[in-house]
Amino acid sequence: MQGSLRCAEVEAACQDLSLRTLAQIDGDFARLIYLASTRDYNTGEYYHDGLAWQFSEKIAQDALALCHQMVFRRLVLCSVKELVAQLETYASSTHLSPSDFVRTWSCLQPYRVVIPRESTAITRYFFISNVRTALAVFDSRQVAAPQRPQSA
Amino acid sequence: MIVDPYLLLAATTLLIVVMLVSRRSVSRRFDDAMFRDDTPGPEQWDSLSLELGAQIFSSEDLDFVAQGSSSKLLRSFREERAALALEWLEQVRDEIGRSMGEHVRAARVSRGLRTVDELKLALEFALFQLSNRVLYCAVWLHGPLAAGNLVKYSTRLAAELKGLLQNLPLAGSVAVEIIKDDSKRSVVS
């Protein structure tokens, strides 16, 4: 009984997070980056003050973890073509030039740290391989496309 | 035509060496692949891992990467997909083997076993092992896309065979006789 009540609370928190925060973020890739950024590197726990205040810290943590897994799942199961489109959307939101974005991402490989902890090794590898490929395709498109003049 | 056995042996050996050399790149990538890590915590297998099969064997991604990308990127992508496909097949086999092992352990102490069900399960398990290994060899030799094409080819052949059987009057009448015979038996039983 207590378990199902807790489950319902996590669901409610997850829905609240999706409607209030994630819906405002353009694209699943940006959502993944955002959700991963709410996770502490040392403890692996998620933190969100607003959600914790509205529900409880534990419920907020579980809701963030659940949303993180759901968004990651969607990205893992999408095609490389869709992933390129997601990357393009995300890159355009960073206010960096596409070439700078590709250079930084190829060098730092931040996509490695945005994977949920519960993911299996084969899923992690599949995701990393797809993002790396999508990044290379994105880069090749930038090279092929004529350079647009920078606005002042 | 008489074929020299030594020549045949030499040709076979050469063919095997060529195949091994051509697949070396996949094996090398396979060895240092990160899915061989021992990170504690996550399970080895989950529902998402199972769903990955459709993605790994799909030609959609490969077709997309092939369009306008460099040959280096395409080769690298192919190698990664081949390594992933081999690992996926191995993990499916391990997972089913583990579940089967658990079932066998539970069956040893169970009293309500049904022989027919157990035999059916054993047969299904043997068929799964066989098909998994055949697919593994196909991927190892020609990549996941070729393995996917193998399934398509087999399906097409089956459709062609069905069409041929329907067009052959003898085969058609035999089939009708079999169906009639079966329906008689089912009525009697």
Side-chain angles (χ1 to χ4, degrees), chain A:
Chain A
M1 180 70 185
Q2 207 169 5
S4 62
L5 191 71
R6 195 172 175 284
C7 216
E9 274 190 291
V10 172
E11 282 278 320
C14 205
Q15 202 159 9
D16 188 84
L17 182 72
S18 299
L19 289 172
R20 285 175 197 263
T21 313
L22 300 181
Q24 315 298 320
I25 302 171
D26 198 11
D28 270 343
F29 218 98
R31 290 184 193 115
L32 184 76
I33 302 287
Y34 167 76
L35 287 164
S37 74
T38 65
R39 184 175 55 180
D40 188 293
Y41 282 120
N42 301 314
T43 61
E45 300 286 357
Y46 296 83
Y47 295 99
H48 191 291
D49 287 341
L51 210 59
W53 182 81
Q54 202 178 342
F55 295 90
S56 73
E57 199 164 314
K58 191 77 193 90
I59 296 289
Q61 282 178 353
D62 289 353
L64 284 159
L66 188 65
C67 285
H68 191 188
Q69 282 169 39
M70 287 191 318
V71 171
F72 178 71
R73 185 189 181 88
R74 284 205 295 269
L75 283 170
V76 164
L77 294 177
C78 79
S79 65
V80 175
K81 188 181 178 182
E82 288 170 65
L83 210 53
V84 173
Q86 290 279 350
L87 266 179
E88 279 173 342
T89 307
Y90 179 69
S92 64
S93 73
T94 60
H95 307 296
L96 278 171
S97 71
S99 57
D100 284 344
F101 172 81
V102 170
R103 200 179 313 120
T104 312
W105 270 57
S106 302
C107 176
L108 296 177
Q109 303 184 342
Y111 47 84
R112 286 180 184 270
V113 292
V114 298
I115 299 170
R117 188 166 56 179
E118 293 76 15
S119 308
T120 59
I122 194 162
T123 311
R124 286 202 300 270
Y125 184 77
F126 184 78
F127 177 74
I128 289 169
S129 166
N130 272 5
V131 174
R132 213 163 35 202
T133 307
L135 209 57
V137 172
F138 180 47
D139 189 31
S140 66
R141 280 184 183 180
Q142 300 309 313
V143 172
Q147 292 285 316
R148 278 181 297 180
Q150 292 277 324
S151 58

Side-chain angles (χ1 to χ4, degrees), chain B residues 18 28 64-65 94 103 105 135 141 147 149 154-155 163-164 183:
Chain B
V18 167
R28 200 190 299 134
F64 173 72
V65 175
D94 289 351
H103 173 77
R105 274 193 296 278
L135 204 54
L141 285 170
N149 286 341
S154 167
T155 312
L164 272 174
S183 58

Side-chain angles (χ1 to χ4, degrees), chain B residues 8 14 22 37 39 42 54 56 59 77 82 90 102 108-110 117 127 130 133-134 139 149 157 161 169 175 180 188:
Chain B
L8 192 70
L14 187 68
S22 69
D37 68 0
T39 312
I56 293 169
S59 61
F77 184 70
E90 212 170 287
E102 278 174 15
R108 277 184 191 141
V109 290
S110 172
D117 289 345
L127 282 174
L130 183 71
R133 279 164 207 275
V134 166
V139 173
N149 286 341
L157 269 184
L161 273 171
K180 276 183 184 170
V188 170

Side-chain angles (χ1 to χ4, degrees), chain B residues 45-61:
Chain B
W45 198 250
D46 61 4
S47 64
L48 183 57
S49 306
L50 196 63
E51 282 180 65
L52 282 185
Q55 298 284 108
I56 293 169
F57 288 95
S58 153
S59 61
E60 190 190 349
D61 287 346

Side-chain angles (χ1 to χ4, degrees), chain B residues 97-114:
Chain B
R98 196 183 56 78
S99 301
M100 194 68 180
E102 278 174 15
H103 173 77
V104 169
R105 274 193 296 278
R108 277 184 191 141
V109 290
S110 172
R111 288 181 182 175
L113 280 181
R114 288 182 59 194

